[in-house]
Amino acid sequence: MGSTTSFTTEAIHPFSESWLKMEISYVFGKSNHEDMRYHVIYDGNCNLCVTLVQVLENLDKGQLFDYIPMQDEDALKNFGVTSQDCEMGMILIDGSLPERRWQGSDAAEEIGNLLPAGDVFVSAYRALPGMKWMGDRVYEQVRDNRYSLFGKRSSTYKSAYPVGCSATDCQS
């Protein structure tokens, strides 16, 4: 009689690749995110920074984020970023509006906002009196002491999802 809709009975495990794609599609109302990219500039020599990039790579699989190590000065020039800019911490650049940028703890918070359901946690964090201020101070201390606290890599980490690489073209 009418059209039928099929539903899958297969459960989608939270934080699986399928779940992440579904959540990103739901949150942004799009199924194709090629035009929605954010560039994460990180310290490719910092053990903590690289570990966090790898966690983000595993969650996102290159769907929304691509990465540039701070040590890649040629790539940074394409975005008008200098090594001095990087001294203030990680940088997040909106790929569709490159003049829209976040740095330091603000970049970390914006990445959290962009992740599925992350805005709930970031909003709660910001709503607690004094937490934003304290988070900014902790970020500054970790940023300024990251090598002594977490160690320095002997070689710069290059992401599996470098700038200009779409999720379908890069390794997973």
Side-chain angles (χ1 to χ4, degrees), residues 18-134:
S18 300
W19 177 82
L20 184 64
K21 286 179 182 175
M22 183 177 72
E23 285 296 303
I24 288 174
S25 296
Y26 173 76
V27 170
F28 294 108
K30 293 186 175 191
S31 58
N32 180 359
H33 300 288
E34 294 305 313
D35 59 337
M36 294 185 66
R37 301 292 290 178
Y38 289 85
H39 312 301
V40 178
I41 300 175
Y42 66 98
D43 184 345
N45 293 339
C46 163
N47 284 329
L48 174 66
C49 310
V50 167
T51 299
L52 294 174
V53 163
Q54 290 170 334
V55 168
L56 192 54
E57 287 172 330
N58 285 325
L59 286 173
D60 178 57
K61 301 285 188 207
Q63 294 294 310
L64 193 56
F65 301 104
D66 54 27
Y67 307 88
I68 309 168
M70 293 177 178
Q71 292 75 17
D72 188 345
E73 292 186 19
D74 290 335
L76 295 179
K77 286 178 190 174
N78 294 327
F79 297 98
V81 174
T82 67
S83 56
Q84 290 78 23
D85 296 330
C86 294
E87 290 175 12
M88 297 308 295
M90 69 182 294
I91 300 171
L92 179 67
I93 300 173
D94 183 334
S96 60
L97 199 59
E99 59 275 4
R100 200 169 137 193
R101 299 167 180 220
W102 300 263
Q103 187 156 21
S105 62
D106 292 330
E109 291 171 23
E110 188 60 25
I111 290 169
N113 273 329
L114 292 166
L115 292 173
D119 59 328
V120 173
F121 296 103
V122 173
S123 295
Y125 159 78
R126 288 180 175 166
L128 293 170
M131 283 303 292
K132 171 70 173 138
W133 181 87
M134 187 169 36

Side-chain angles (χ1 to χ4, degrees), residues 134-147:
M134 187 169 36
D136 290 347
R137 302 300 79 77
V138 169
Y139 181 91
E140 291 166 2
Q141 288 300 309
V142 170
R143 175 198 67 206
D144 294 344
N145 299 290
R146 63 189 178 272
Y147 296 140

